Amino acid sequence: MLYRAQENKKFIILNDAHESLASANLIDQHGQDKVFELTSTPSCDLLALPSVNILSLNSTEFIAWRGRIQRQKDDRLYFHADERVDAGLRRHLRIQMSFRANLYPVKGRGPRLPVVCRDISCGGIALYSVVPFHVGEVYQIALPCTEPPLLAKIEALRTISEEKRLYAFQFIDLLPQEEAMIQERIFEYDLHHPSVSSAENPKAKVL
């Protein structure tokens, strides 16, 4: 049978610890049974895992299942979905990613503030900064990690560590397609950078 990849059907395969294992395209489905075509080499034997989570990458509608890879033939994965995964998972899956960026005040005038990202999710971002932040302050951040770069609005939530000058922000007013852009980029990054040993160091090598 000749399969044809469907639009907006790029997926990431995660284990139950939410570690990225491989990427794939959904090419066919009948009810709970799905056929995927691998687009990267898996980091482990997927058949040996009792379950995996498969999440949509570039769709504005969150699509995700938890189930088991039943068999593999070359680059084809035959997957049975046991259950749907809650849509809130997309916003809470956090990836360690280090890059430099700038913040710009939303209200009034002020200098741009250089920051370094420690980790990011579709729901928020943790940033190192020499300048302290206060809860409720709103800024725009130019995200260099997306393609194309995204100008997003963020709100300061809390201080994670005064000693490390690390602060937590949440994204606000993100459009569904912008959230999908962030999700696709962070999981593709995680797939090719499975560990970031220097994530706690703001002077680490950055993108």
Side-chain angles (χ1 to χ4, degrees):
M1 179 181 297
L2 178 64
Y3 293 105
R4 180 176 298 174
Q6 303 174 28
E7 285 187 10
N8 299 322
K9 298 301 182 186
K10 295 173 64 177
F11 284 76
I12 191 79
I13 302 173
L14 311 174
N15 59 18
D16 283 336
H18 299 151
E19 297 168 330
S20 303
L21 305 177
S23 57
N25 289 331
L26 177 64
I27 56 176
D28 195 22
Q29 60 179 329
H30 299 282
Q32 299 299 97
D33 294 314
K34 326 286 181 182
V35 181
F36 291 89
E37 183 175 52
L38 287 168
T39 55
S40 71
T41 302
S43 60
C44 67
D45 181 3
L46 299 177
L47 285 169
L49 298 176
S51 63
V52 296
N53 302 276
I54 302 185
L55 283 68
S56 59
L57 271 185
N58 63 339
S59 173
T60 55
E61 176 191 0
F62 180 78
I63 306 169
W65 305 281
R66 185 174 184 271
R68 179 176 173 81
I69 305 295
Q70 296 184 313
R71 64 189 178 98
Q72 180 176 350
K73 183 178 180 181
D74 298 326
D75 60 354
R76 297 281 161 76
L77 296 177
Y78 297 84
F79 170 78
H80 180 79
D82 295 322
E83 59 182 328
R84 290 290 294 262
V85 176
D86 185 87
L89 181 65
R90 175 156 81 175
R91 294 184 59 80
H92 295 108
L93 284 174
R94 187 169 295 274
I95 302 300
Q96 292 182 339
M97 181 188 293
S98 184
F99 58 81
R100 292 188 177 94
N102 290 301
L103 301 189
Y104 303 89
V106 170
K107 293 183 178 180
R109 288 189 169 186
R112 66 180 184 179
L113 304 175
V115 293
V116 175
C117 173
R118 185 194 71 170
D119 56 59
I120 185 171
S121 73
C122 291
I125 188 169
L127 300 171
Y128 294 103
S129 171
V130 174
V131 177
F133 295 103
H134 303 286
V135 175
E137 291 181 336
V138 178
Y139 295 87
Q140 285 188 317
I141 182 171
L143 293 174
C145 58
T146 60
E147 183 57 44
L150 177 66
L151 190 63
K153 191 180 293 184
I154 57 174
E155 179 183 2
L157 287 180
R158 62 187 176 91
T159 300
I160 299 174
S161 171
E162 290 186 1
E163 180 183 359
K164 296 177 181 177
R165 296 177 177 177
L166 180 62
Y167 304 89
F169 292 79
Q170 66 175 347
F171 290 114
I172 56 177
D173 302 330
L174 273 184
L175 298 174
Q177 56 267 35
E178 293 173 333
E179 187 171 299
M181 284 173 60
I182 295 173
Q183 181 190 9
E184 181 174 6
R185 179 65 183 107
I186 64 178
F187 281 112
E188 286 185 347
Y189 179 89
D190 186 52
L191 189 62
H192 296 96
H193 303 79
S195 64
V196 182
S197 59
S198 55
E200 293 294 338
N201 182 1
K203 296 182 179 179
K205 181 180 178 181
V206 293
L207 295 177

